[in-house]
Amino acid sequence: MTLTVGFVGLGNMGGPMAANLVGAGHTVTGYDLVPEAVDRAAGYGVRTAATAAGAAADADVVFTMLPSGRHVLEVYRELVTVTRGALFVDCSTVAVGDARVAADLARTAGHRAVDAPVSGGVTGAGAAALTFMVGAEDADFAAVEPVLAAMGRKVVHCGASGAGQAAKICNNLILGISMIAVGEAFVLGESLGLSHQALFDVASTASGQCWALTSNCPVPGPVPTSPANRDYAAGFAAALMAKDLGLAADAATAHAVPAELGSRAAELYAQFAAGGGAGLDFSAIVTTLREARA
Ligand code: NAD
């Protein structure tokens, strides 16, 4: 079914996602604060609007792909008043509580709402290969699943509102910690005279195997497509990993879960981001682990 889609937030992720919705035959009108992002999306066949309200007007489905919960709530407060009976889909990574507030805002104004954060990064967004983690009522999930399928390979219904965000921060808790573990292993291996390739060849086929090693290897060489081979150009920016681990640490504190490694990882990424690494791929954390070597 061809839908009229409003898409707010055409950045690294939102731009290619909107392009894939166009590719699936939907009529997509997009908006971003940054004119270059709008122009890029226009090049992919996204119609452009001068305001977020203009993008959402008359839309069947309103997507948001924004930096944080604050941005999402600001945009929702405006957009719930400009369209009627739409399905609001927030794909940004935000706190579980913010996702529930956003859904309440939309529902109170007569809309349906789901949270649908993603995993797969910029490459996955471009290749329509994202994983979507969805928090939604059953009927809303049934409505959104075929739309998300145009942008992803896997769409998982995680539970009610906020459950998609819960899955996202738990997944990134694993990822953030495992990248530090892989980085520590390479730095220790260097000190022990082990080549990167030898450690990779062993760990990638042994019990140390994980995505941080085999897809986003933090040292150049073993995985040619990993950001380490292009001076850690993101990829998934360290600032975003710091944000996600901050959300996970806050949630752990709120629920009295002693996630000690997660909290420490949140500190390390926050320091790395504040020290100039914010825009680098999060795998560049290996450089600080190496510098910390006595
Ligand atoms: P980005 O900074 O490239 O894009 C966000 C866009 O939102 C920017 O272009 C910005 O101008 C726009 N924006 C901000 N406020 C706005 C407003 N009020 N109205 C319209 N546009 C506005 O970020 P991104 O990498 O695309 O990430 C977006 C979200 O996806 C984040 O929540 C991030 O945590 C999540 N995410 C990112 C990745 C990744 O690999 N980049 C992976 C998974 C999830």
Side-chain angles (χ1 to χ4, degrees):
M1 188 172 52
T2 303
L3 295 167
T4 302
V5 176
F7 206 116
V8 180
L10 301 168
N12 292 329
M13 297 292 288
M17 290 168 70
N20 285 326
L21 288 172
V22 172
H26 301 302
T27 302
V28 183
T29 305
Y31 172 70
D32 195 290
L33 291 175
V34 175
E36 292 75 26
V38 176
D39 291 346
R40 213 169 28 244
Y44 297 124
V46 174
R47 299 175 186 201
T48 61
T51 60
D58 302 325
D60 302 310
V61 186
V62 177
F63 276 96
T64 41
M65 191 50 163
L66 298 165
S68 72
R70 177 175 63 80
H71 301 91
V72 173
L73 291 177
E74 262 173 37
V75 168
Y76 265 48
R77 285 197 180 98
E78 180 190 358
L79 293 193
V80 295
T81 63
V82 302
T83 181
R84 285 185 183 279
L87 176 61
F88 276 67
V89 186
D90 180 39
C91 295
S92 329
T93 303
V94 308
V96 173
D98 284 344
R100 291 183 178 145
V101 173
D104 282 348
L105 278 170
R107 289 192 185 119
T108 303
H111 304 287
R112 295 178 289 158
V114 310
D115 49 291
V118 305
S119 180
V122 176
T123 312
L130 294 170
T131 294
F132 286 91
M133 306 151 221
V134 184
E137 300 304 321
D138 289 348
D140 296 339
F141 179 75
V144 81
E145 187 182 19
V147 190
L148 299 180
M151 300 179 283
R153 276 207 197 114
K154 190 150 181 77
V155 183
V156 181
H157 190 188
C158 299
S161 280
Q165 297 295 350
K168 172 69 185 175
I169 59 173
C170 290
N171 178 74
N172 278 21
L173 181 68
I174 298 171
L175 177 60
I177 294 171
S178 60
M179 182 55 82
I180 291 173
V182 171
E184 286 185 352
F186 273 112
V187 172
L188 178 60
E190 288 165 9
S191 301
L192 297 172
L194 195 57
S195 75
H196 291 161
Q197 192 64 49
L199 176 55
F200 179 85
D201 288 346
V202 171
S204 64
T205 53
S207 44
Q209 190 273 338
C210 61
W211 189 91
L213 175 71
T214 58
S215 293
N216 216 78
C217 187
V219 294
V223 178
T225 52
S226 81
N229 298 287
R230 37 175 214 274
D231 294 329
Y232 298 100
F236 183 53
L240 291 178
M241 179 53 88
K243 178 189 87 164
D244 291 2
L245 288 181
L247 294 174
D250 289 348
T253 303
H255 292 270
V257 174
E260 290 180 27
L261 293 185
S263 299
R264 181 68 186 129
E267 285 170 10
L268 288 174
Y269 284 107
Q271 283 164 11
F272 180 60
L280 296 176
D281 188 77
F282 77 113
S283 60
I285 194 87
V286 71
T287 57
T288 57
L289 302 172
R290 193 178 283 123
E291 283 158 13
R293 190 169 52 181

